[in-house]
Every structure is written in structure tokens, then in C-alpha cells.
Amino acid sequence: MYPTQRLPQTADDIARYFNAATLPSQQETLGQVVVDILNAGGNVNRKSICTKLLRRLETASTEEEERHYRALISLLFGR
């Protein structure tokens, strides 16, 4: 055991650790979207990807998530 390493002592410490997690990369998010579309039996095209991203944008719980999805949507349209 490392004596200088601080172990989480409270639920707050654990919550802070998980809240510090960053969003997945743009590639990871697009990969998840494509997998969702394929699992639903849909065709992967700009319209279906945009629809999925818009749905995720609507249900985003943080401003950071909203920015992430808006950036991906703008990539689809080259803006």
C-alpha cells in the first residue's frame, strides 16, 4: 500500500471522482450512435445520425454535453 495515496473516505469523494469524468471523444460518440442505428435495423446515413444526435442533445443533462452534441451535428453539415 502507498502511504501517501489518499483513499476516498466519503460518498462525496466518490461522487466528485465520477463527476470529474469527461465526455467520450467525438469518434466514440459517433461510434455509439452508429451502433444504435444498426442495432435498431436502420440505415446509417446523415439523416439518421443527425436524428440520433438531436435526440441526445434534447436529453443532455449538462451544458458540456450540449456543446459536445452541437459540435458533432455541425460536423455533419460542415459548419
Side-chain angles (χ1 to χ4, degrees):
M1 183 101 342
Y2 300 102
T4 59
Q5 184 180 15
R6 183 177 174 275
L7 298 175
Q9 298 298 316
T10 66
D12 289 335
D13 288 341
I14 295 169
R16 264 193 302 281
Y17 171 80
F18 283 106
N19 286 336
T22 59
L23 293 172
S25 71
Q26 289 181 334
Q27 290 176 331
E28 290 171 321
T29 301
L30 287 174
Q32 291 169 351
V33 166
V34 168
V35 167
D36 288 349
I37 293 167
L38 292 173
N39 284 338
N43 294 320
V44 178
N45 52 42
R46 185 182 293 183
K47 181 181 176 182
S48 63
I49 293 171
C50 186
T51 301
K52 284 282 186 186
L53 289 172
L54 286 170
R55 173 61 62 192
R56 288 181 178 215
L57 177 61
E58 289 174 350
T59 60
S61 58
T62 66
E63 217 173 282
E64 185 181 6
E65 280 182 301
E66 288 180 12
R67 281 193 304 270
H68 181 70
Y69 293 127
R70 282 192 178 105
L72 288 170
I73 292 167
S74 69
L75 284 176
L76 292 174
F77 299 101
R79 296 185 184 150

